[in-house]
Amino acid sequence: METNLKTDVQIMEFAPPERSENTSSTTGKEQYNENVNDQGCNYAKGKWVLDNSRPLYSGFHCNQWLSHMWACRLMQRKDFAYEKLRWQPKNCQMEEFEVSKFLERMRDKTLAFVGDSLGRQQFQSLMCMITGGKESHDVKDVGKEYGLVMPHGGTRPNGWAYRFSSTNTTVLYYWSTCLCDLEPINTTNPETDYAMHLDRPPGFLRQFLHKLDVLVLNTGHHWNRGKLKANRWVMYVGGMPNTNRRLAMIGDAKNFTIHSIVNWVNSQLPKHPHLKAFYRSISPRHFVNGDWNTGGSCDNTTPMSIGMEVLQDESSDYSAGNAVKGTGVKLLDITALSQLRDEGHISHYRTTAAKGVHDCLHWCLPGVPDTWNEILFAHISATSVINS
């Protein structure tokens, strides 16, 4: 069954920020084809198949890395058929994820996820995949090297960084829900609003980009009026409060920011030739008959009940697909294949969830984000993005 379902992404209706040229000799068209295909393989096009050798790690035992709020094996859920699916690209073979191969290809390298809670899920998924969901004494917390420490009065750091000593491989996550720079407007006022610089990358990336070898960016679900108001974010462009009426529209502001961050990273690639950057397309939500706070639900537990195959060539996330066109930033396209997996969400099974509240945004782990990392590994392997 083919899917052409679209998520709540919007196409740019105004000119994106001007492209910065890099020194690649590849033309825009050739580069975009490279973004979609590795050696002729479009990993986003294919089907879900049953695989009884799954999952790749235990949801019971990956306590060192996996948050309990995403470990469905520790919840009230009783069905786990969603753990037994594997993604099979059409007309090509995707290299199987192997811990030893991953660590060897990432020897003396750093992989960073920068984005929202879905990016954090992908980070935790990869940590569980590398360790096999088991306690590991080979791993060292190196968060201090990246400024990822508990802030005064805070409840958690802005991210985590861990190093696998055997190969000197670092995997980190930095929390940046909007992929733009945030700074207090009045530093002397604890209740101050924050300037949300749509055209400026997060300070973390400006400071540490030179230390990264693989970068995976994502944003999307925090772009709504409720989040902006709750976080006291005020849109800024060019260092000043935004006056562009089109950018006042949340969808347009999000698209502008995605183009801005991709353009900025693209402009940095000649300075950091070792860096390989990916923008991960949006992870779909599956709320039915409402939203998270209006009775929306996702009760289905049957895998592939809404389809099993993706036949479309282009990404369902138009904004992401357009943003990477003509750049050296690759698209990690997971939208359509994840759209088919409505049974894989947290749903109402979290023991601490309020009555009637479903989580149809985040995924059970082990689960769908593991596939995102398998595709990321395939990109790394197929294109030899890790240069010795």
Side-chain angles (χ1 to χ4, degrees):
M1 177 178 178
E2 179 179 0
T3 179
N4 279 304
L5 297 174
K6 311 301 179 188
T7 56
D8 52 351
V9 293
Q10 299 180 18
I11 302 175
M12 291 281 291
E13 294 183 350
F14 54 91
E18 184 178 351
R19 286 273 184 231
S20 295
E21 298 295 329
N22 65 31
T23 56
S24 171
S25 61
T26 309
T27 66
K29 183 176 180 180
E30 290 168 339
Q31 216 159 33
Y32 181 60
N33 288 337
E34 207 173 56
N35 284 338
V36 175
N37 298 297
D38 286 333
Q39 299 180 352
C41 186
N42 180 356
Y43 298 122
K45 187 177 181 179
K47 63 182 179 180
W48 290 102
V49 296
L50 291 173
D51 186 342
N52 288 323
S53 69
R54 300 299 170 112
L56 298 175
Y57 55 90
S58 168
F60 283 116
H61 301 133
C62 196
N63 299 322
Q64 192 174 2
W65 319 112
L66 180 55
S67 298
H68 283 197
M69 62 182 175
W70 296 329
C72 289
R73 284 280 181 174
L74 304 180
M75 299 180 190
Q76 302 173 61
R77 187 161 186 165
K78 303 301 181 183
D79 62 286
F80 301 100
Y82 66 88
E83 292 184 347
K84 297 295 185 180
L85 296 183
R86 173 174 55 83
W87 180 249
Q88 174 60 57
K90 186 177 178 64
N91 298 326
C92 62
Q93 195 67 32
M94 185 167 70
E95 183 169 358
E96 185 175 350
F97 180 88
E98 292 184 21
V99 175
S100 58
K101 286 183 179 180
F102 175 84
L103 288 176
E104 189 57 42
R105 285 166 185 165
M106 289 297 297
R107 178 178 291 276
D108 300 321
K109 303 295 191 297
T110 297
L111 187 157
F113 296 99
V114 177
D116 57 22
S117 58
L118 278 305
R120 184 182 173 194
Q121 283 209 296
Q122 190 174 1
F123 161 73
Q124 292 191 2
S125 161
L126 184 59
M127 291 299 296
C128 289
M129 289 168 67
I130 299 172
T131 60
K134 300 175 182 178
E135 192 83 12
S136 176
H137 301 289
D138 179 48
V139 186
K140 179 183 178 182
D141 186 339
V142 293
K144 288 185 178 180
E145 293 183 18
Y146 297 89
L148 303 177
V149 296
M150 187 75 72
H152 180 70
T155 57
R156 66 183 179 191
N158 288 329
W160 296 265
Y162 298 103
R163 182 165 296 142
F164 292 82
S165 302
S166 60
T167 55
N168 194 34
T169 300
T170 303
V171 179
L172 69 84
Y173 164 76
Y174 178 74
W175 178 267
S176 178
T177 59
C178 60
L179 288 185
C180 55
D181 202 24
L182 296 169
E183 63 176 0
I185 295 174
N186 183 353
T187 57
T188 63
N189 179 8
E191 301 299 320
T192 184
D193 290 340
Y194 288 81
M196 182 186 188
H197 295 281
L198 305 184
D199 54 352
R200 187 187 300 175
F204 176 85
L205 285 179
R206 299 199 307 272
Q207 183 176 357
F208 294 108
L209 191 70
H210 68 284
K211 298 184 68 172
L212 309 181
D213 298 281
V214 177
L215 172 64
V216 182
L217 302 164
N218 93 281
T219 188
H221 294 294
H222 279 252
W223 289 88
N224 60 72
R225 290 292 176 192
K227 292 288 187 182
L228 265 65
K229 183 177 180 180
N231 291 320
R232 303 194 301 275
W233 291 346
V234 179
M235 295 183 194
Y236 271 56
V237 177
M240 302 292 292
N242 174 53
T243 58
N244 185 323
R245 289 185 177 181
R246 288 189 177 181
L247 291 184
M249 303 295 291
I250 294 293
D252 288 342
K254 180 190 74 174
N255 292 340
F256 179 85
T257 300
I258 292 172
H259 279 73
S260 292
I261 186 70
V262 168
N263 188 37
W264 179 80
V265 171
N266 184 59
S267 74
Q268 301 301 302
L269 294 180
K271 304 174 189 176
H272 310 292
H274 63 280
L275 174 65
K276 302 302 174 183
F278 297 85
Y279 184 88
R280 201 208 75 216
S281 65
I282 198 165
S283 174
R285 309 177 338 144
H286 288 96
F287 289 97
V288 177
N289 298 323
D291 213 320
W292 70 271
N293 58 349
T294 57
S297 63
C298 46
D299 292 319
N300 178 44
T301 58
T302 304
M304 301 182 287
S305 60
I306 61 174
M308 59 180 290
E309 189 168 16
V310 174
L311 297 177
Q312 62 199 51
D313 292 313
E314 295 186 2
S315 175
S316 296
D317 186 345
Y318 295 122
S319 182
N322 288 337
V324 301
K325 265 184 193 177
T327 76
V329 178
K330 282 184 171 289
L331 181 66
L332 184 59
D333 188 10
I334 56 86
T335 303
L337 65 90
S338 303
Q339 184 73 52
L340 296 173
R341 297 299 307 281
D342 64 320
E343 90 294 351
H345 289 291
I346 305 295
S347 188
H348 61 281
Y349 297 106
R350 188 180 296 163
T351 55
T352 58
K355 185 177 181 180
V357 175
H358 287 226
D359 185 349
C360 307
L361 170 62
H362 299 101
W363 304 91
C364 288
L365 291 175
V368 173
D370 303 334
T371 296
W372 306 348
N373 283 321
E374 289 182 279
I375 295 174
L376 175 63
F377 174 69
H379 277 294
I380 291 173
S381 301
T383 58
S384 300
V385 299
I386 307 303
N387 299 315
S388 58

